[in-house]
Amino acid sequence: MSVPSLDADLAAEQAHLDRARAELARMRAAAEALDASKASDAVSGEVLGWVLARRIASLQDDPQTTLFFGRIDTRPRGLPAEDFHIGRRHVTDAAGDPLVVDWRAPISTGFYRASRAQPMDVVRRRRFGVHAGRLTAIEDEWLMGDAASGDGHSALLAAEIERPRTGPMRDIVSTIQPEQDEIVRGDVATTICVQGAPGTGKTAVGLHRAAWLLYSFRHRLDRSGVLVVGPNRAFLDHIGAVLPSLGEVRVAHATMETLVAHARVRAEDPVDVATLKGDGRLAQVLARAVWSQVRPASEPLIVPRGVRKWRVPAYEVQEVLDELTARDIRYEAARGHLPQRLAHHVLVAMEASGEAPDDRVQDAVARSSAVRRYAASVWPTLDPAGVLHSLFADAEALAAASADILTDDEQRLLSWDKPARTKGAARWTPADLVLLDELSDLLSRTPSLGHVILDEAQDLSPMQLRAVGRRCSTGSATVLGDIAQGTTPWATTSWAEAMAHLGKPDHDLVELDRGFRVPAVVIDYAARLLPHISEGLGPPTSVRDNRGSLAVHPVGRGDVADRLAEFLAERVDEPGSTGVIAPDPLVDGLGAALDERGIAHGRLDVDRGDDADHPVQLVPATVAKGLEFDRVIVVEPAAIAAAEPDERTGLRRLYVVLTRAVSELTVIHSEPLPAALAG
């Protein structure tokens, strides 16, 4: 590996960058010159206009970055040697020859995975130092031939990983590691579950996998769609710039709450009730509640037609009902088939009497008021809110649906003490919305997307996992999480169990245990909690050059805000981001104290304009998951842990909070530290 230097080689690379910029401008100008209004018809013109707008947006150049971040020189056996510059988008010259190759292209794989043990025909891997859109350094790693040497360590790579940052998460295309790249380039038909400790880059890997899939299977996923599901709105705002920076703007984002927004949340459940409502057994209860609405045929079907009346015996109707309920179709789909099936039996009776009815007669019989009234009497129309209201408001209905599934005590937990008089007056909770989503799917099948990226999956209940799984029932998923970071009472303890609830029992489980973002001193401190929160899971191994900084400051009661303000004032000119993470009830008071002392800051749990780009962020502990800051100040860790319903969940919340730091962790406390941490 050569020492980074500024020389003639660097000048040649800068000239290549300048040429690539000029060609990108040419490509954009050519796209802008196309006229969508000249399409053959209005619909084609609208589609072409949308395609051109997306194309033009993807060709936008950012002068603060470079079009490429690396290069590989290849020497395939029996083929001429070639070199490829690897960047965020493909750039060609006027003849169509590549000047920059998209990082997602197959040839780019060698940049991320080639090694001296497996060079993949790569003779040399080159990385570039970058500042303000210009190349500042070159670092070469020789993988084949006599020049191959060194330990594979890259100073430029380490500097990029550890570089201070503010604002939302950025892409990691220049620093993707081999084990991460294998996940990113996994086949579209494969569902992958990633168990990733803090700082291992699992969220970035999931987002880059979405970008790679859209590049490699564009026509398929353009039709079926890709969805990213995150834990909260602050998290989605934090990651929201990654995919657009990679040229992908067609990915939908949702939280669990927006995914199942079938009604307005008007109440909160006690923990034990919410846990029970998230239990996978509720799926059986709801299915029984829906299908029990199909009533036995106790009367024959009588259909007047002209001067005659045609009769279908009750036992024949019952055979039709039994056949439809036994089929693997949804309630409403089966209900839609019923009139035609009944009409068929009427036609059989007509044919037996010597008539010769055709399909038009069958359709007319199926649409007749007699058949429609009879079908509605045995197979009534349902809606999710009505079914759930009936269950929770009527103890007998709940007992019938829950027999041999829930205990009497569990049924009493679900029953409303003061039932709402109508479904419209029901005070639905977040857990109820997930049940309404299950009911909606029992009635009419939920459309499936091509791929779903699910982050922080360990926090979802079985019923929530089922709701996400419905969105990729015929597609695939990338599931990201860390069992040690489960902070809900219903957090999973087994990926096999969670993936079964998701409907993806056949999946690839991959563990990421190399920490690129969290420094060793922070990992070691937070790892004190691991024996108390997740047996069998070890801490990640930090591979950063910088071990980071840790400081713990006990202060007197009433002095927390002063010490916090002093710390922030001391570092006001330092580059990078600072996250102040505090117990939720203290956030407003700390914010007022900082305002009073003239210390500018943002709030990630409320919309205050440009808060997302502020270098200092005040973050409630319950919102911190998935975020990262160069410096983190944790206020009153004991109160953060005590706010959760049980000790394990509280310590897991604290583990999440402590591992948000990228370089420096400071703990300020007036209350004694939790015993598990104080050691």
Side-chain angles (χ1 to χ4, degrees):
M1 183 175 68
S2 67
V3 177
S5 61
L6 292 170
D7 54 14
D9 214 11
L10 181 60
E13 295 288 10
Q14 181 63 49
H16 186 84
L17 174 59
D18 294 340
R19 182 187 174 199
R21 286 198 190 281
E23 292 295 343
L24 180 65
R26 177 193 57 77
M27 293 167 63
R28 182 180 173 90
E32 290 174 334
L34 296 174
D35 187 357
S37 66
K38 295 182 179 179
S40 58
D41 56 72
V43 174
S44 298
E46 183 176 352
V47 173
L48 180 58
W50 178 80
V51 171
L52 286 176
R54 193 174 73 185
R55 169 70 172 166
I56 292 168
S58 72
L59 296 173
Q60 179 67 44
D61 187 13
D62 181 356
Q64 294 303 308
T65 65
T66 56
L67 293 179
F68 53 82
F69 45 80
R71 166 181 156 177
I72 53 175
D73 297 355
T74 65
R75 191 170 61 202
R77 181 174 300 179
L79 295 173
E82 290 186 277
D83 61 83
F84 301 93
H85 288 77
I86 313 300
R88 288 173 175 79
R89 61 177 57 81
H90 192 71
V91 181
T92 64
D93 62 17
D97 294 325
L99 298 178
V100 181
V101 176
D102 194 298
W103 68 275
R104 296 168 289 187
I107 191 63
S108 302
T109 306
F111 179 77
Y112 298 107
R113 297 194 204 173
S115 65
R116 280 182 292 281
Q118 293 183 308
M120 302 174 67
D121 296 327
V122 176
V123 177
R124 177 176 61 177
R125 173 167 45 219
R126 169 169 285 182
R127 300 182 189 277
F128 298 103
V130 177
H131 178 70
R134 295 190 64 81
L135 303 181
T136 59
I138 288 176
E139 188 178 71
D140 287 341
E141 182 181 5
W142 296 89
L143 304 178
M144 294 174 63
D146 296 337
S149 63
D151 59 3
H153 180 270
S154 167
L156 289 180
L157 178 63
E160 173 61 19
I161 290 175
E162 299 178 18
R163 178 165 60 90
R165 61 204 64 197
T166 58
M169 177 188 287
R170 63 171 185 253
D171 68 68
I172 62 166
V173 289
S174 63
T175 62
I176 293 173
Q177 297 299 292
E179 67 269 33
Q180 297 173 329
D181 190 66
E182 290 184 12
I183 298 170
V184 168
R185 297 176 194 265
D187 187 72
V188 68
T190 302
T191 289
I192 301 175
C193 177
V194 181
Q195 160 62 37
T200 55
K202 57 184 177 294
T203 295
V205 167
L207 295 173
H208 287 69
R209 174 158 170 74
W212 181 84
L213 289 171
L214 285 163
Y215 174 88
S216 303
F217 304 94
R218 186 169 304 278
H219 295 299
R220 175 174 174 176
L221 294 178
D222 266 349
R223 294 192 303 269
S224 56
V226 175
L227 171 69
V228 175
V229 181
N232 52 56
R233 176 49 55 185
F235 173 84
L236 294 182
D237 290 342
H238 180 61
I239 69 170
V242 173
L243 286 169
S245 74
L246 299 174
E248 300 298 347
V249 295
R250 297 153 297 151
V251 178
H253 293 72
T255 64
M256 198 65 230
E257 290 71 22
T258 59
L259 192 69
V260 297
H262 295 277
R264 185 164 61 92
V265 172
R266 300 174 60 191
E268 294 288 337
D269 285 313
V271 171
D272 55 349
V273 176
T275 302
L276 178 57
K277 288 180 177 179
D279 193 306
R281 293 175 296 161
L282 266 291
Q284 298 174 259
V285 173
L286 297 179
R288 188 182 289 176
V290 166
W291 289 101
S292 66
Q293 301 301 312
V294 180
R295 298 158 190 163
S298 57
E299 300 288 340
L301 167 64
I302 307 297
V303 180
R305 185 165 177 80
V307 297
R308 300 192 61 177
K309 292 183 179 180
W310 301 97
R311 182 178 184 274
V312 179
Y315 74 87
E316 287 190 19
V317 174
Q318 189 61 49
E319 289 175 356
V320 172
L321 299 179
D322 292 343
E323 189 270 333
L324 287 174
T325 54
R327 294 176 62 183
D328 185 23
I329 58 176
R330 298 304 195 262
Y331 180 93
E332 283 299 319
R335 181 177 175 276
H337 289 311
L338 181 58
Q340 283 288 344
R341 298 301 301 276
L342 295 176
H344 173 74
H345 281 259
V346 172
L347 259 67
V348 170
M350 290 179 176
E351 290 170 347
S353 69
E355 295 193 14
D358 56 18
D359 290 345
R360 290 174 298 175
V361 174
Q362 179 169 331
D363 291 341
V365 171
R367 293 194 302 269
S368 67
S369 58
V371 169
R372 286 189 287 108
R373 280 196 306 269
Y374 189 92
S377 70
V378 295
W379 206 298
T381 302
L382 302 178
D383 68 273
V387 174
L388 197 59
H389 174 267
S390 297
L391 274 182
F392 291 168
D394 185 343
E396 291 185 2
L398 180 59
S402 305
D404 302 322
I405 301 175
L406 303 180
T407 66
D408 292 344
D409 288 342
E410 288 173 328
Q411 292 175 33
R412 281 190 286 273
L413 275 179
L414 293 179
S415 294
W416 285 333
D417 293 332
K418 297 179 180 179
R421 295 184 62 182
T422 66
K423 63 185 180 184
R427 295 175 58 80
W428 302 119
T429 67
D432 291 334
L433 265 58
V434 181
L435 300 182
L436 291 172
D437 191 74
E438 181 82 21
L439 285 165
S440 179
D441 184 69
L442 285 166
L443 298 180
S444 300
R445 187 180 299 274
T446 303
S448 175
L449 298 164
H451 195 81
V452 170
I453 310 286
L454 172 61
D455 207 349
E456 305 297 350
Q458 76 281 344
D459 276 339
L460 300 191
S461 70
M463 293 303 291
Q464 289 174 322
L465 288 167
R466 288 176 60 86
V468 176
R470 283 191 281 278
R471 272 73 184 181
C472 56
S473 58
T474 61
S476 57
T478 301
V479 178
L480 314 165
D482 178 10
I483 288 177
Q485 296 187 61
T487 53
T488 57
W490 45 81
T492 189
T493 58
S494 163
W495 283 123
E497 180 181 320
M499 298 303 288
H501 289 302
L502 191 73
K504 304 293 182 183
D506 297 324
H507 62 277
D508 290 348
L509 178 61
V510 182
E511 183 174 0
L512 295 178
D513 58 7
R514 291 207 300 159
F516 303 100
R517 298 294 295 149
V518 184
V521 68
V522 174
I523 288 176
D524 293 344
Y525 186 65
R528 297 178 182 182
L529 302 176
L530 282 176
H532 306 274
I533 61 178
S534 186
E535 294 183 7
L537 280 181
T541 301
S542 179
V543 296
R544 297 185 50 167
D545 292 344
N546 182 356
R547 282 186 52 81
S549 171
L550 170 68
V552 180
H553 299 288
V555 298
R557 292 189 181 276
D559 295 334
V560 171
D562 287 335
R563 185 66 190 93
L564 173 62
E566 290 173 8
F567 181 92
L568 293 174
E570 291 168 359
R571 288 160 174 77
V572 67
D573 295 324
E574 293 186 9
S577 57
T578 300
V580 180
I581 307 179
D584 289 33
L586 299 186
V587 170
D588 286 339
L590 289 175
L594 294 181
D595 288 337
E596 186 177 309
R597 291 162 174 79
I599 297 178
H601 63 280
R603 275 278 296 268
L604 286 186
D605 61 326
V606 294
D607 184 7
R608 303 201 315 179
D610 61 352
D611 276 4
D613 293 326
H614 203 287
V616 177
Q617 295 287 345
L618 190 54
V619 187
T622 57
V623 180
K625 184 167 292 185
L627 307 180
E628 64 176 32
F629 306 91
D630 292 291
R631 292 172 295 277
V632 166
I633 308 169
V634 177
V635 177
E636 300 291 15
I640 290 174
E644 301 299 331
D646 58 79
E647 182 183 15
R648 189 187 74 159
T649 304
L651 293 179
R652 284 183 167 187
R653 177 74 68 189
L654 183 55
Y655 179 73
V656 170
V657 167
L658 294 173
T659 53
R660 299 307 92 199
V662 171
S663 299
E664 181 179 348
L665 173 64
T666 301
V667 177
I668 300 175
H669 66 99
S670 63
E671 301 178 18
L673 294 174
L677 191 64

